[in-house]
Amino acid sequence: MVEGCPPLRLLLIGSPGAGKGTQSGRIQNNFEVSTISSGDLLRKNIAQGTEIGKRAAKEMKNGAFVSDEVMVKLIDSELDKLGAEQGWLLDGFPRTMTQAETLDHTLDSLNQPLNLVIHLNVPEEVILQRIMDRWVHIPSGRVYNMTYNPPKRAGLDDVTGEALERRPDDNPETFKIRLQKHHELTEPLLDYYKNKNILVSLAGNTSDEIYPQIRELLQTRFKPEESPSEAEGQGQA
Ligand code: AP5
Ligand code: MG
């Protein structure tokens, strides 16, 4: 971290398919942060058949939100694992006003408030096609796209060689519901964070437009690691 600056405590916010997972992967490859992705955590819980996974599976498949109570518990336990000096970024949480207020309460009591919220503002018309082309490696959350960042070997994760999967919520019908939920329940958070003066909105719809803006923003406040990974262009989540 830059001397005198607190560790990065960043929230990435954006509609389904805006590139939160993709940009998280790039940030993690180039800055000292741990990523907490609510969607990845839920998918892992489903794959492992945990109680949380059983409670979340139906909502996720239908594009509905998992309850605030489950989400707060899940994310709190991940934050608990990190030290006060550890930088982190949140992808997908909070996404309701209740979650945002509860998170602020928790972080304020730890004296570790969020210090940046980046809104990924991508036009809706480009997003559906991205989702239709998406393949994921569930255990790691790594994200691929058949045109934008295809895996080195068709159908296989670059790192483990394990099979890639389609997400059950990546179909036009469910996507419509996810988008609707986003407008209704998550977009109000933009005003909430704007009023706290920590919101930055970045726009772009091509592969290389948004990340350079994020990098510049973070470099002004947080020092990158000594040897930035060559994998900056990889879309890993
Ligand atoms: P979650 O997994 O968070 O899904 P989401 O918010 O719908 O977002 P996505 O993961 O679909 O998109 P993304 O923005 O990460 O985009 P990506 O980088 O993959 O949540 C899933 C579900 O879990 C929710 O519907 C809900 O049920 C539940 N849930 C999770 N959190 C919750 C919470 N807090 N409260 C309640 N319920 C919760 O990119 C998309 C595609 O585009 C990829 O193929 C990628 O390769 C490609 N791409 C990315 N960037 C570019 C680019 N610049 N150019 C071209 N292609 C690109
Ligand atoms: Mg994601």
Side-chain angles (χ1 to χ4, degrees):
M1 101 191 77
V2 175
E3 199 144 338
C5 284
L8 180 61
R9 292 188 288 269
L10 167 68
L11 164 61
L12 284 185
I13 195 165
S15 67
K20 301 181 294 296
T22 302
Q23 302 296 352
S24 300
R26 291 176 171 195
I27 294 169
Q28 194 166 312
N29 283 340
N30 293 281
F31 293 87
E32 293 171 65
V33 286
S34 296
T35 297
I36 300 177
S37 158
S38 55
D40 290 351
L41 282 170
L42 289 168
R43 282 182 283 279
K44 266 184 223 164
N45 274 272
I46 292 174
Q48 291 163 3
T50 67
E51 268 315 301
I52 286 183
K54 282 179 198 151
R55 286 178 70 177
K58 192 164 157 234
E59 277 97 343
M60 285 184 78
K61 192 159 184 279
N62 295 334
F65 278 7
V66 176
S67 77
D68 289 336
E69 183 210 339
V70 168
M71 293 312 303
V72 166
K73 224 157 110 187
L74 186 65
I75 302 299
D76 272 2
S77 80
E78 291 301 307
L79 287 170
D80 271 353
K81 295 176 193 164
L82 304 174
E85 291 309 309
Q86 172 66 53
W88 44 256
L89 81 80
L90 295 174
D91 157 6
F93 179 95
R95 67 172 91 193
T96 66
M97 277 308 295
T98 303
Q99 292 177 15
E101 286 166 356
T102 312
L103 176 71
D104 275 352
H105 184 75
T106 306
L107 296 177
D108 284 347
S109 69
L110 296 169
N111 204 19
Q112 296 170 24
L114 275 172
N115 44 29
L116 186 61
V117 177
I118 297 181
H119 172 217
L120 303 178
N121 188 0
V122 180
E124 265 173 38
E125 53 277 16
V126 303
I127 285 179
L128 182 60
Q129 189 53 49
R130 288 184 182 183
I131 291 284
M132 293 303 114
D133 278 354
R134 172 166 64 186
W135 287 79
V136 290
H137 178 244
I138 301 278
S140 68
R142 272 184 287 278
V143 182
Y144 298 87
N145 183 285
M146 287 311 132
T147 42
Y148 164 61
N149 62 328
K152 290 183 185 124
R153 286 182 295 154
L156 302 178
D157 177 46
D158 287 350
V159 178
T160 62
E162 291 168 349
L164 299 177
E165 295 173 51
R166 294 274 298 149
R167 273 174 45 176
D169 57 348
D170 277 351
N171 58 71
E173 297 74 37
T174 311
F175 185 72
K176 216 169 133 194
I177 302 170
R178 288 162 57 199
L179 212 48
Q180 203 180 317
K181 293 278 171 206
H182 172 80
H183 290 317
E184 190 186 324
L185 298 168
T186 309
E187 273 178 1
L189 270 62
L190 297 176
D191 270 344
Y192 177 76
Y193 290 119
K194 193 172 167 199
N195 290 335
K196 287 176 175 280
N197 287 321
I198 52 173
L199 180 74
V200 176
S201 194
L202 301 178
N205 58 5
T206 62
S207 53
D208 290 323
E209 280 178 32
I210 288 190
Y211 184 70
Q213 299 180 62
I214 295 180
R215 187 181 53 206
E216 202 183 323
L217 188 61
L218 299 187
Q219 275 172 344
T220 59
R221 307 182 194 197
F222 308 94
K223 195 174 137 224
E225 285 177 339
E226 296 265 304
S227 321
S229 158
E230 291 302 315
E232 185 175 292
Q234 291 294 307
Q236 297 181 344

